[in-house]
């Protein structure tokens, strides 16, 4: 078939075309997994602030585009003492929408003893030294495309985050580049003798969480994955995200289609009143991966917000989970639910490490069936927020720490709920994890 004629009919694509493109994507990501990657340092953009002096500004080759190479900008940092004789674990950090590589994020993980790389996934490059200290820098500290400082013969700009809703060759899709750039960033770390190649994890915020939900379906080498806010099931949630409800986008890029391949420990870190990602998407993602690894965790948090810096404030969650996943000496474990309750009568079980203290249960519930609509709930503009307001009850359910049994009854006024166990881990502080959302009606 002439590819120029492979267009959408009635909003859907020809099944044979879809299957061919999905095969092309899988083969391209397999090639990315096998591709050695080396970094080229960019001294002119190396951070000059003392707290970031150990972090390098680099570029590496991304996925091919229209027969030419693409270039990716990244910050890479190592903790003090990392060497081939004393290698360290590492993590790949994937920014969210409107964001770019964040220096504080790299430093946070370096301070915890991890090497870290934070790359730009949307074709942007810094336009000043020390770019990426703040939350949103689009149009201020980063510029789209190969600016004169980064231009090079044989290279073109990778696409920005655009999803085609009708047929386009796979190299024209942003997701092809975004997923590949993240896989290649992991390869860059694996090729460094200062890194423990089998102890490299991945963490993404918002769009970055969506991206790594896709990545772990193509690259199973990561030792752990931490999607923050973003999830799979973006086309089926009550609050639809991006263009994932478009049939063509859904057919090629729905993360849940490949989640069965993800067997590494996953921490789904969620906000219960997110204006971008619905609670049922979190729940479906966690339920899908629940049996793949006994260390998998869902944590739906209240009294939070959606931003890069809000995500960084939950570093204790991420670090505790990562340390346990890689078997780091002194890791304190993490409370995990073995099963979830059904209906209003609660009886389920959790694994509670001996190091966890102050363990208690909290029920989050709403009094009407869950729904979302576009409105300004918090004074930050109109988004598809939850229509209901969460209530909490610390008495409805109790936990037996010795057996891990969680038992109780959900309030009669509840139309749906989830349960969190709140606990303290030595060296990490106060943390909570729990079940997904469970309707009562």
């Amino acid at each position: 078939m002439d590819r120029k004629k492979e267009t959408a009919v009635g909003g859907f694509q020809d099944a044979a075309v879809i299957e061919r493109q999905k095969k092309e994507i899988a083969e391209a990501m397999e090639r990315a997994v096998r591709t050695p990657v080396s970094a080229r340092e960019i001294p002119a953009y190396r951070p000059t602030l003392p707290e970031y002096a150990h972090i390098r500004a680099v570029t590496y080759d991304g996925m091919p585009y229209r027969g030419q190479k693409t270039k990716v900008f990244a910050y890479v940092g190592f903790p003090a003492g990392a060497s081939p004789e004393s290698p360290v674990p590492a993590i790949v950090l994937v920014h969210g929408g409107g964001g770019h590589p964040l220096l504080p994020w790299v430093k946070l993980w370096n301070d915890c003893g991890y090497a870290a790389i934070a790359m730009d996934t949307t074709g942007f490059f810094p336009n000043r030294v020390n770019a990426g200290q703040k939350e949103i820098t689009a149009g201020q500290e980063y510029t789209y495309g190969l600016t004169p400082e980064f231009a090079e013969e044989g290279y073109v700009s990778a696409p920005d985050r655009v999803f085609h809703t009708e047929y386009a060759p796979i190299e024209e899709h942003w997701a092809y580049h975004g997923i590949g750039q993240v896989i290649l960033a992991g390869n860059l770390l694996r090729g460094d003798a200062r890194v423990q190649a089998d102890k490299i994890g991945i963490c993404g915020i918002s769009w970055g969480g969506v991206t790594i939900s896709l990545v772990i379906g193509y690259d199973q080498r990561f030792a752990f994955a931490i999607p923050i806010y973003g999830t799979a099931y973006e086309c089926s949630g009550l609050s639809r995200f991006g263009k994932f409800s478009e049939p063509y986008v859904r057919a090629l890029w729905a993360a849940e289609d490949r989640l069965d391949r993800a067997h590494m420990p996953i921490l789904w870190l969620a906000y219960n009143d997110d204006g971008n990602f619905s609670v049922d998407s979190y729940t479906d993602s966690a339920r899908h991966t629940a049996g793949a690894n006994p260390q998998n965790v869902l944590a739906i948090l209240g009294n939070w917000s959606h931003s890069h810096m809000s995500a960084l404030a939950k570093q204790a969650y991420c670090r505790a989970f990562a340390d346990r996943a890689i078997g780091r000496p002194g890791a304190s474990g993490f409370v995990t639910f073995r099963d979830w309750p059904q209906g209003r009568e609660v009886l389920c079980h959790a694994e509670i490490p001996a190091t966890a203290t102050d363990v208690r249960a909290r029920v989050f519930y709403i009094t009407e069936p869950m729904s979302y609509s576009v409105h300004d709930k918090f004074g930050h503009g109109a988004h598809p927020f939850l229509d209901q307001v969460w209530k909490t009850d610390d008495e409805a359910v109790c936990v037996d720490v010795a057996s891990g049994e969680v038992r109780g009854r959900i309030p009669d006024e509840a139309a749906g709920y989830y349960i969190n166990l709140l606990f303290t881990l030595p060296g990490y502080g106060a943390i909570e994890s729990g079940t997904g959302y469970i309707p009562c009606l």
Side-chain angles (χ1 to χ4, degrees), residues 9-45:
V9 178
F12 293 89
Q13 299 288 316
D14 180 87
V17 173
I18 292 295
E19 289 306 309
R20 178 179 58 74
Q21 287 203 289
K22 289 171 70 173
K23 182 179 179 181
E24 289 176 353
I25 293 165
E27 290 173 347
M29 298 311 154
E30 288 173 6
R31 289 194 297 272
V33 166
R34 298 192 301 269
T35 300
V37 178
S38 58
R40 291 169 287 182
E41 189 163 359
I42 312 297
Y45 286 90

Side-chain angles (χ1 to χ4, degrees), residues 61-81:
D61 286 358
M63 303 294 282
Y65 185 41
R66 297 177 178 175
Q68 293 186 281
K69 297 178 182 179
T70 61
K71 188 177 292 188
V72 183
F73 176 80
Y75 286 127
V76 183
F78 284 80

Side-chain angles (χ1 to χ4, degrees), residues 104-115:
W105 203 8
V106 174
K107 182 179 184 299
L108 269 177
W109 282 97
N110 294 165
D111 290 347
C112 296
Y114 287 71

Side-chain angles (χ1 to χ4, degrees), residues 400-416:
D400 184 298
V401 175
S403 67
E405 184 178 275
V406 181
R407 181 186 290 273
R409 177 177 170 79
I410 303 303
D412 290 338
E413 64 174 339

Side-chain angles (χ1 to χ4, degrees), residues 177-237:
H177 292 273
I179 297 168
Q181 288 164 357
V182 174
I183 292 172
L184 294 168
N187 292 355
L188 191 155
L189 292 175
R190 288 183 184 87
D192 195 307
R194 294 170 291 176
V195 171
Q196 294 173 293
D198 61 340
K199 295 184 179 180
I200 300 173
I202 186 171
C203 180
I205 296 172
S206 192
W207 256 116
V210 176
T211 302
I212 72 168
S213 298
L214 281 155
V215 168
I216 58 179
Y218 291 99
D219 188 348
Q220 289 76 51
R221 297 172 298 167
F222 290 103
F224 60 87
I226 307 174
I228 303 176
Y229 308 129
T231 66
Y233 288 95
E234 294 305 336
C235 61
S236 58

Side-chain angles (χ1 to χ4, degrees), residues 225-296:
I226 307 174
I228 303 176
Y229 308 129
T231 66
Y233 288 95
E234 294 305 336
C235 61
S236 58
L238 289 171
S239 173
R240 301 299 177 90
F241 180 74
K243 293 186 177 180
F244 283 95
S245 58
E246 295 284 347
Y248 183 46
V249 176
R250 161 71 181 84
L252 293 185
W253 305 113
E256 58 269 23
D257 287 350
R258 298 182 66 89
L259 268 186
D260 288 345
R261 296 169 170 81
H263 295 286
M264 70 288 289
I266 304 173
L267 168 60
W268 301 99
L269 189 54
Y271 170 36
N272 70 7
D273 218 330
D274 202 320
N276 298 280
F277 304 99
S278 60
V279 171
D280 58 325
S281 294
Y282 300 136
T283 300
D284 289 344
S285 298
R287 195 185 299 277
H288 188 136
T289 54
N293 192 295
Q295 295 186 28
N296 286 356

